[in-house]
Amino acid sequence: MGERVELKGKHALITGAASGIGRATAIRLAAEGMTVACVDWDLDGATAVAAEIGGHALRADCGDSADVDRAFAAADETLGGLDVVFLNAGIAIGVSDLTTLTDEDYTRIMRVNVDGVVYGTRAAIRALERRGGGAIVATASLAGLIPFPPDPVYDATKHAVVGFIRSVAETLAPRGILANTVNPGMTDTNILNAETKDFFASIDFPLMPAEQIAQAIVDILEAGRYGECWVCQP
């Protein structure tokens, strides 16, 4: 289905790199010998991660196409090309009762979770083709494969990511670009608020560390396959 992606000496761009899964993956890919461009709306957070791993930090609004294109172009120029793109930026809104859903919250989550993946994939294809191929991984969720009543709009965005990436994967593979999603279950990141984390702790429900998802990213890249959803559970 594809050739194994060698990591050492290659270049990666990660969105949502300032914290959580993005931060853990930036650290892990750097440990594998990659140079990483850390992209986030939170430039201070991205800068801290970049300083820790000897990478580069860029600020971008992942829901703005021009901002995404600028960030990718800057990373491409700074690193001398891109081989791996991890589209990880995402948010939740925690609205279960749609009668209370505001237009602002709906627009906000769609911009980051869906538009960001579409714009990021488009920019990634352009950059990766200049290198002769590479890999795209997008963070979906277990919620992208099953119902998630506590946040149905979040669920909808992650179903969209799964459908989009699996669809483009078929057309990208002949061009040397391998596209997949990683689909974590409950993970200990800032997307869960303190109250939710306390609840899971009270019922002894294990939250995965972000490092477990970072390992999955390495596994996806090294597998050299495409069009797959890699489910991560404790």
Side-chain angles (χ1 to χ4, degrees):
M1 293 183 67
E3 297 182 359
R4 179 183 181 275
V5 176
E6 295 290 341
L7 303 184
K8 187 175 182 180
K10 296 295 181 68
H11 308 151
L13 180 150
I14 298 175
T15 67
S19 62
I21 292 170
R23 178 182 183 276
T25 303
I27 293 170
R28 180 57 195 273
L29 293 186
E32 294 289 332
M34 299 189 73
T35 304
V36 181
C38 301
V39 179
D40 205 290
W41 178 249
D42 174 10
L43 182 58
D44 289 342
T47 299
V49 176
E52 183 177 350
I53 64 173
H56 304 271
L58 296 162
R59 183 179 187 180
D61 173 359
C62 291
D64 182 281
S65 63
D67 229 23
V68 170
D69 288 345
R70 281 193 295 269
F72 271 76
D76 197 9
E77 180 179 358
T78 300
L79 272 60
L82 293 173
D83 305 290
V84 170
V85 172
F86 180 33
L87 301 171
N88 168 71
I91 62 171
I93 55 175
V95 176
S96 60
D97 180 359
L98 285 187
T99 64
T100 67
L101 175 67
T102 65
D103 291 354
E104 291 75 16
D105 278 345
Y106 177 74
T107 299
R108 183 166 59 93
I109 192 170
M110 295 300 290
R111 286 181 80 259
V112 178
N113 291 14
V114 179
D115 295 352
V117 171
V118 174
Y119 297 150
T121 300
R122 183 177 64 184
I125 294 168
R126 294 166 177 164
L128 296 176
E129 282 196 318
R130 287 193 290 271
R131 294 282 277 183
I136 298 169
V137 181
T139 299
S141 170
L142 185 59
L145 302 170
I146 63 172
F148 188 59
D151 197 341
V153 179
Y154 173 82
D155 190 86
T157 66
K158 295 307 183 179
H159 272 76
V161 170
V162 167
F164 174 73
I165 293 294
R166 292 186 71 189
S167 296
V168 300
E170 295 296 326
T171 63
L172 293 180
R175 297 154 71 176
I177 299 173
L178 307 180
N180 296 277
T181 67
V182 62
N183 295 61
M186 293 297 181
T187 307
D188 190 4
T189 70
N190 292 337
I191 207 165
L192 300 179
N193 60 33
E195 182 180 357
T196 301
K197 291 181 182 182
D198 289 343
F199 169 74
F200 283 128
S202 72
I203 61 173
D204 293 325
F205 186 94
L207 295 178
M208 291 178 291
E211 289 74 16
Q212 181 174 336
I213 315 306
Q215 175 60 51
I217 302 305
V218 172
D219 293 342
I220 292 169
L221 296 176
E222 292 186 337
R225 302 198 295 268
Y226 65 89
E228 296 184 344
C229 301
W230 289 60
V231 174
C232 302
Q233 285 284 67

